[in-house]
């Protein structure tokens, strides 16, 4: 039972209760929030260059948001009990209140924004498609085929408002995850008011990197030309936000080193031993400094298109690895040391269990599958639908 | 008004959400027990249900009615304040019907629950590394559990 324990651990600290699924959960919600922020760049901040990724970013956010509760439900067991959170809400529990943040973001922000943005296409496709698809589109029109200019202008205005509300909602969605960790005052590794802010910025970094990679991958699969102005702009924003994210993380680190409270020696030892690979190597050097340097190269040097594409791909992949390592170090790292500051335990990930490696891989791939279905159902490429507009609808 | 006509789809969406909310409230009314929230954030009727559970523990007064000799032995020892059922387990059935005999305890397993050496225990608390201390022998070979100090009146 005490294998992997060094020094003294209290009995309830030997086994880690928050497994890799709890690592995956903030990772997935971070991708949701980040993807939505990228979409809002075009909608609210009028960064027209990123328009080709607007719809893809929204669909990516929805695909990952639908999967976000699954790691928690698998971890806790009894998924049917999650409804109790809505039936009998406990207002003093931050975790219980998150159910409403999730519901708000899913139903009042993301679904409505996607519906408004796609409504014209949905009406067109309800008339041009056949079979089951036709019925799905007809249900999605909610019985209204009005896509005249005035109706679409109203959609545009309401959609803008929803996106505007969506930005603080996305911050709330992911800031909350940081809030949960940051407010655990018994754990010095987590307890920091900077935690929600760091989580928000790291979410933006991971979501933007994910949509950039997905856009380049899908364009390659569709054998279409990548809009380099779009990718260059996304990479520039990724670079800027990454700088802020890294500065905040370093600020937290410097503050901890300078403050050097009673937990410092223990945490310092842990970072240099058990967390050395995941924190120093993966998170800081491979997953943060390397992509920042690579992205900086593209800002400073005039590189050819092919070189920029390769750099963005490598930087994007490393970013996703780095942010996952950050989530790992927060969740797993916070459980590896004793509150007595006298000992350390070890996390051994299971393979084929409810909370094991295979389940984590399946949960990571599931949003990509959902995204594939969503892209088939609601193509993010406007030109495709444009070509399908029947003359009657266009004249409506 | 054409503004209302052209935003008809938004009213349909709002109506759909209203129907969804009403459906949720209906389901909630059906599933949430009526006594929920009566005393606090739990089902009020649970208190009566828990109170109706059969009692498993008899309490040390019931034990001492018949086992006055053990009570006497405990009185001067370190275990004077340890309740009988803390070691022997719940014995309400035995107290009601003395012909139901409790299981014999294995002191090699029982005693180390409290007395195994652990840095988390107070320094003055008697604790041993069982393997080095007794080499697997039951503790009662040397210690009388009801008055465990060697040389005490009850010690073997």
């Amino acid at each position: 039972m005490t294998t992997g324990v060094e020094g003294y651990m209290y009995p309830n600290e030997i086994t880690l209760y928050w497994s890799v699924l709890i690592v995956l959960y903030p990772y997935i919600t971070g991708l949701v929030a980040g993807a939505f922020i990228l979409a809002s760049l075009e909608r609210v901040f009028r960064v027209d260059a990123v328009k080709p990724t607007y719809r893809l970013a929204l669909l990516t956010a929805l695909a990952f948001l639908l999967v976000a509760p699954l790691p928690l439900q698998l971890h806790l067991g009894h998924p049917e009990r999650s409804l109790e959170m809505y039936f009998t809400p406990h207002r003093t529990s931050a975790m219980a209140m998150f159910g409403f943040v999730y519901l708000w973001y899913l139903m009042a922000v993301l679904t409505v924004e996607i519906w408004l943005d796609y409504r014209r296409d949905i009406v067109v496709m309800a008339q041009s498609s056949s079979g089951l698809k036709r019925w799905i589109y007809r249900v999605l029109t909610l019985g209204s085929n009005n896509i005249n200019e005035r109706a679409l202008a109203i959609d545009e205005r309401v959609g803008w408002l929803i996106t505007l509300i969506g930005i603080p909602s996305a911050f709330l969605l992911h800031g909350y995850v940081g809030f949960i960790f940051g407010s655990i005052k018994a754990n010095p590794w987590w307890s920091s008011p900077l935690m929600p802010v760091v989580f928000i910025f790291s979410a933006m970094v991971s979501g933007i990197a994910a949509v950039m990679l997905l856009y380049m991958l899908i364009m390659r699969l569709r054998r279409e030309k990548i809009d380099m102005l779009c990718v260059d702009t996304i990479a520039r924003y990724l670079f800027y936000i990454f700088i802020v994210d890294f500065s905040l993380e370093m600020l937290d680190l410097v503050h901890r080193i300078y403050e050097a409270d009673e937990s410092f020696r223990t945490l310092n030892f842990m970072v240099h031993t058990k967390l050395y690979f995941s924190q120093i190597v993966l998170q800081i050097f491979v997953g943060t400094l390397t992509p920042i340097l690579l992205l900086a190269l593209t800002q400073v040097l005039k590189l050819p298109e092919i070189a920029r594409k390769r750099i963005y791909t490598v930087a994007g992949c490393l970013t996703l690895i780095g942010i996952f390592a950050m989530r790992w170090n927060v969740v797993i790292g916070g459980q590896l040391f004793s509150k007595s500051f006298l000992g350390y335990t070890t996390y051994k990930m299971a393979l084929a269990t409810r909370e094991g490696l295979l389940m984590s891989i399946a949960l990571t791939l599931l949003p990509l599958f959902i995204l594939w279905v969503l892209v088939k159902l609601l193509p993010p490429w406007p030109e495709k639908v444009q070509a399908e507009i029947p003359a009657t609808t266009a004249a409506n | 008004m054409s503004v209302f006509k052209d935003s008809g789809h938004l009213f349909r969406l709002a109506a759909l959400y209203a129907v969804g909310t009403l459906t949720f409230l209906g389901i909630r009314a059906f599933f949430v027990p009526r006594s929920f929230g009566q005393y606090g954030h739990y089902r009020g009727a649970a208190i009566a249900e828990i109170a109706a559970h059969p009692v498993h523990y008899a309490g040390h007064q019931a034990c001492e009615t018949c086992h006055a000799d053990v009570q006497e032995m405990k009185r001067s020892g370190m275990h004077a304040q340890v309740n009988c059922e803390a070691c022997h387990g719940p014995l309400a059935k035995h107290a009601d019907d003395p012909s139901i005999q409790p299981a014999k305890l294995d002191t090699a397993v029982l005693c180390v629950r409290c007395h195994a050496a652990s840095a988390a225990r107070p320094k003055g608390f008697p604790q041993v590394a069982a393997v080095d201390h007794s080499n697997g022998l039951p503790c009662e070979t040397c210690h009388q559990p009801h008055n465990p100090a060697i040389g005490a009146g009850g010690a073997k």
Side-chain angles (χ1 to χ4, degrees):
Chain A
M1 181 183 162
T2 51
T3 312
V5 172
E6 296 161 38
Y8 175 70
M9 298 290 287
Y10 291 118
N12 62 331
E13 294 172 328
I14 292 168
T15 307
L16 271 72
Y17 295 102
W18 286 1
S19 66
V20 65
L21 291 186
I22 308 299
V23 177
L24 208 54
Y25 165 68
Y27 187 62
I28 289 176
T29 54
L31 291 172
V32 174
F36 186 84
I37 297 294
L38 177 61
S40 69
L41 275 181
E42 194 274 328
R43 192 76 186 247
V44 176
F45 301 106
R46 306 286 178 204
V47 183
D48 288 337
V50 300
K51 193 163 189 164
T53 59
Y54 171 68
R55 285 180 157 187
L56 181 66
L58 285 181
L59 296 183
T60 306
L62 180 61
F64 279 91
L65 190 65
L66 291 172
V67 176
L70 293 186
L72 298 184
Q73 288 172 331
L74 277 161
H75 168 70
L76 294 168
H78 286 285
E80 79 283 359
R81 289 185 191 166
S82 56
L83 277 176
E84 298 290 340
M85 194 164 57
Y86 296 110
F87 287 159
T88 54
H90 206 307
R91 287 189 298 277
T92 56
S93 161
M95 284 196 185
M97 281 295 101
F98 179 69
F100 290 90
V101 174
Y102 175 83
L103 197 67
W104 163 264
Y105 193 72
L106 176 65
M107 300 306 292
V109 175
L110 210 46
T111 312
V112 176
E113 181 164 344
I114 290 173
W115 185 72
L116 286 173
D117 194 68
Y118 272 97
R119 210 178 62 78
R120 180 183 147 282
D121 297 7
I122 289 168
V123 171
V124 171
M125 288 186 290
Q127 291 167 11
S128 62
S129 55
S130 58
L132 178 65
K133 263 186 150 182
R134 183 185 178 88
W135 280 103
I136 293 172
Y137 291 131
R138 284 182 73 168
V139 169
L140 289 176
T141 61
L142 302 182
S144 168
N145 290 331
N146 185 358
I147 51 170
N148 66 31
E149 257 181 43
R150 202 175 166 81
L152 293 179
I154 291 171
D155 287 355
E156 175 65 26
R157 280 205 298 276
V158 176
W160 180 85
L161 185 69
I162 296 282
T163 314
L164 199 64
I165 297 166
I167 296 171
S169 302
F171 274 53
L172 188 65
L173 179 82
H174 202 66
Y176 150 83
V177 182
F179 174 84
I180 288 279
F181 285 104
S183 59
I184 298 178
K185 54 181 172 280
N187 189 321
W189 187 246
W190 292 334
S191 180
S192 160
L194 263 182
M195 197 65 99
V197 188
V198 170
F199 263 68
I200 287 169
F201 276 91
S202 60
M204 284 156 74
V205 168
S206 65
I208 292 172
V211 175
M212 182 180 77
L213 284 175
L214 279 170
Y215 172 70
M216 290 200 289
L217 178 71
I218 292 173
M219 285 294 119
R220 197 180 168 85
L221 292 176
R222 285 165 52 88
R223 297 177 193 284
E224 285 184 19
K225 191 168 161 34
I226 292 173
D227 184 335
M228 281 313 287
L229 177 64
C230 169
V231 183
D232 285 337
T233 310
I234 295 176
R236 197 168 66 244
Y237 277 101
L238 178 61
F239 175 60
Y240 295 154
I241 297 169
F242 222 151
I243 294 280
V244 178
D245 178 45
F246 184 59
S247 308
L248 285 168
E249 287 191 31
M250 288 304 105
L251 179 65
D252 184 45
L253 187 70
V254 170
H255 181 252
R256 281 170 188 273
I257 293 170
Y258 187 72
E259 188 184 22
D261 68 5
E262 73 275 12
S263 66
F264 181 71
R265 281 182 62 185
T266 305
L267 301 184
N268 190 40
F269 179 78
M270 187 172 71
V271 169
H272 286 88
T273 52
K274 283 182 178 287
L275 286 187
Y276 185 79
F277 179 72
S278 61
Q279 177 113 11
I280 307 285
V281 178
L282 267 189
Q283 184 186 329
I284 296 179
F285 281 100
V286 176
T288 305
L289 289 176
T290 311
I292 284 179
L293 285 174
L294 286 173
L295 291 169
L297 274 183
T298 64
Q299 302 301 310
V300 176
L301 302 175
K302 284 200 169 180
L303 296 168
E305 189 177 309
I306 185 75
R308 297 208 306 280
K309 277 185 201 167
R310 284 178 184 162
I311 287 178
Y312 295 154
T313 307
V314 174
C317 291
L318 292 181
T319 302
L320 291 179
I321 292 170
I323 299 294
F324 183 82
M326 183 261 184
R327 312 292 191 233
W328 175 279
N329 294 324
V330 168
V331 176
I332 302 296
Q335 302 172 85
L336 290 181
F337 64 95
S338 171
K339 176 70 179 160
S340 66
F341 302 133
L342 294 173
Y344 305 88
T345 188
T346 306
Y347 174 55
K348 190 173 184 304
M349 198 194 310
L351 179 66
T353 63
R354 202 178 72 194
E355 296 194 52
L357 176 67
L358 294 181
M359 183 55 77
S360 306
I361 293 172
L363 283 179
T364 312
L365 296 178
L366 183 60
L368 298 177
F369 173 72
I370 294 174
L371 180 64
W372 176 76
V373 174
L374 286 173
V375 166
K376 287 277 171 203
L377 197 65
L378 302 168
W381 334 112
E383 69 279 9
K384 191 182 172 196
V385 182
Q386 191 74 36
E388 289 175 3
I389 296 179
T392 49
T393 316
N396 191 349
Chain B
M1 286 284 285
S2 66
V3 175
F4 287 110
K5 189 185 160 203
D6 289 329
S7 52
H9 55 286
L10 296 178
F11 289 110
R12 284 168 190 260
L13 182 70
L16 183 69
Y17 273 43
V19 169
T21 308
L22 288 174
T23 309
F24 166 76
L25 291 174
I27 295 171
R28 182 179 182 273
F30 179 75
F31 277 108
V32 176
R34 289 197 183 281
S35 66
F36 188 89
Q38 190 179 354
Y39 306 115
H41 199 80
Y42 57 92
R43 197 165 48 87
I47 291 179
E49 287 171 24
I50 292 164
H53 282 179
V55 174
H56 296 292
Y57 286 87
H60 69 100
Q61 293 93 338
C63 304
E64 288 158 7
T65 318
C66 300
H67 302 285
D69 54 329
V70 177
Q71 184 196 5
E72 191 57 38
M73 198 185 296
K74 273 179 69 185
R75 187 168 291 159
S76 58
M78 294 292 281
H79 285 170
Q81 302 303 320
V82 179
N83 249 307
C84 309
E85 286 164 302
C87 298
H88 290 277
L91 290 171
K93 282 183 184 169
H94 170 68
D96 289 343
D97 177 5
S99 68
I100 299 173
Q101 286 296 309
K104 174 90 174 117
L105 299 175
D106 180 0
T107 53
V109 177
L110 181 73
C111 302
V112 290
R113 282 189 198 159
C114 297
H115 294 288
S118 168
R121 297 199 165 105
K123 280 189 179 154
F125 187 83
Q127 44 193 315
V128 294
V131 178
D132 300 336
H133 183 75
S134 63
N135 201 20
L137 283 174
C139 307
E140 65 183 314
T141 312
C142 302
H143 300 274
Q144 163 53 256
H146 294 125
N147 192 344
I150 301 284
K156 286 184 175 178

